[in-house]
């Protein structure tokens, strides 16, 4: 329990108004809690609410009025309003203060989520836009690339969504003739920035290796061409080069599953 002066907060969990009677008990709560001073913008409030929902109601939000409890604000060195602190056992673990801009709020929420082992979706319909672009890239990489670029220009885009969009841009460049070096440069930048282990970036790196090794290039191969490659592979089952050529041709023809089976 975080104190008696609490109210239900739906899926986000309890909200507590700190008073002289409950403050000591609430702030010494062994579990994590968020301490808020002042009123947040609607956008910031929604992000904090999504964080709390991701915690399954186990991250109470405590409201502190510095006029009512000035000694607590002084002890926590709260000098600006609004401010949001992540606290546990009376200690500050993370702070959102001074800069409450959308990017700063997103960074705070992502940092707290990482500390608490939570998965928070701040992207909203961005996730759907990314999924649509990833589907389109198989048939029209130029259109998909434009979609990834639009997504990447979204204000206050979550970090993981930005990486996913950038990886999509690498893949789209790879799927278009004459842009291999450009794709390499995009991918290199992602890896330099430490994103090489992200699944979408690893996928783009694997596609780059396929593009560099494939004798058929990156273009989709027509049915007759695939049959010819398949026949060559069947005629010499132990020929690694023939099997590789067939698998790569299947991949660039939009048949990734068949490519793996081949």
């Amino acid at each position: 329990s975080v104190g008696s002066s609490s109210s239900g907060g739906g899926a986000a969990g309890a909200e507590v108004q700190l008073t002289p009677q409950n403050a000591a008990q609430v702030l010494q709560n062994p579990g994590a809690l968020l301490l808020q001073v002042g009123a947040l913008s609607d956008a910031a409030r929604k992000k904090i609410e999504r964080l709390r929902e991701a915690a399954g109601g186990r991250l109470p939000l405590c409201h502190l009025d510095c006029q009512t409890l000035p000694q607590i604000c002084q002890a926590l060195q709260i000098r600006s309003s609004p401010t949001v602190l992540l606290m546990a056992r009376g200690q500050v673990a993370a702070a959102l203060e001074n800069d409450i801009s959308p990017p700063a709020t997103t960074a705070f929420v992502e940092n707290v989520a990482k500390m608490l082992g939570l998965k928070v979706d701040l992207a909203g319909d961005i996730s759907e836009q990314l999924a649509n672009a990833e589907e389109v890239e198989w048939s029209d990489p130029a259109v998909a690339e434009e979609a990834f670029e639009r997504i990447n220009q979204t204000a206050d885009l979550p970090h993981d969504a930005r990486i996913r969009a950038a990886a999509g841009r690498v893949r789209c460049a790879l799927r278009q003739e004459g842009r291999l070096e450009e794709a390499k440069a995009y991918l290199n930048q992602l890896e330099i920035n430490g994103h090489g282990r992200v699944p979408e970036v690893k996928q783009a790196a694997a596609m780059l290796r396929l593009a560099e090794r494939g004798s058929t290039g990156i273009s989709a191969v027509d049915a007759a061409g695939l049959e010819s490659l398949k026949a060559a592979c069947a005629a010499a089952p132990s020929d690694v080069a023939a099997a590789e050529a067939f698998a790569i041709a299947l991949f660039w023809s939009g048949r990734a599953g068949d490519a793996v089976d081949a």
Side-chain angles (χ1 to χ4, degrees):
S1 173
V2 293
S4 57
S5 300
S6 63
S7 61
E15 292 195 30
V16 182
Q17 181 65 52
L18 292 187
T19 68
Q21 290 73 35
N22 70 6
Q25 176 191 356
V26 171
L27 294 178
Q28 290 303 319
N29 183 56
L33 59 84
L34 292 173
L35 183 66
Q36 178 179 324
V37 175
L40 297 172
S41 67
D42 189 52
R45 180 187 60 76
K46 287 180 179 178
K47 289 176 183 177
I48 296 297
E49 186 170 330
R50 286 192 180 184
L51 171 65
R52 297 178 61 226
E53 288 173 351
R58 298 186 300 275
L59 186 61
L61 178 63
C62 304
H63 296 275
L64 170 61
D65 184 341
C66 287
Q67 292 186 333
T68 302
L69 295 167
Q71 69 277 18
I72 293 180
C73 291
Q74 290 168 8
L76 294 174
Q77 299 183 358
I78 296 173
R79 299 187 177 90
S80 62
S81 178
T83 288
V84 181
L85 306 176
L86 171 68
M87 300 192 64
R89 295 185 183 277
Q91 301 298 312
V92 177
L96 175 64
E97 55 188 348
N98 301 319
D99 179 9
I100 317 292
S101 63
T105 304
T106 294
F108 172 76
V109 169
E110 291 181 334
N111 182 38
V112 171
K114 185 176 181 180
M115 293 172 68
L116 300 180
L118 304 174
K119 180 66 175 178
V120 185
D121 179 16
L122 293 176
D125 66 343
I126 292 294
S127 295
E128 184 177 347
Q129 292 180 41
L130 283 166
N132 289 339
E134 287 164 349
E135 184 175 347
V136 169
E137 74 178 66
W138 285 96
S139 57
D140 196 334
V143 169
E145 184 175 14
E146 291 177 0
F148 285 126
E149 289 179 350
R150 282 196 303 273
I151 292 169
N152 210 30
Q153 291 168 6
T154 301
D156 191 26
L157 187 67
H159 188 59
D160 56 349
R162 191 173 300 282
I163 296 171
R164 188 173 163 188
R169 191 179 180 194
V170 175
R171 296 192 307 272
C172 288
L174 281 171
R175 294 181 191 278
Q176 298 174 70
E177 293 285 357
R179 298 186 59 191
L180 181 62
E181 293 304 317
E182 190 177 350
K184 282 184 182 180
Y186 290 157
L187 180 62
N188 185 53
Q189 193 59 53
L190 282 167
E191 292 175 336
I192 287 174
N193 291 336
H195 307 314
R197 293 185 178 274
V198 175
E200 289 83 3
V201 178
K202 291 170 70 175
Q203 180 190 36
M207 286 178 63
L208 175 60
R209 290 193 293 272
L210 285 178
E212 291 176 324
R213 295 181 66 175
S215 59
T216 60
I218 63 171
S219 299
V221 179
D222 61 24
L226 284 175
E227 282 302 317
S228 176
L229 288 167
K230 182 179 181 180
C233 186
S238 60
D239 188 337
V240 176
E244 182 181 79
F246 181 42
I248 291 174
L250 283 169
F251 178 84
W252 292 117
S253 298
R255 296 169 57 182
D258 292 337
V260 173
D261 294 337

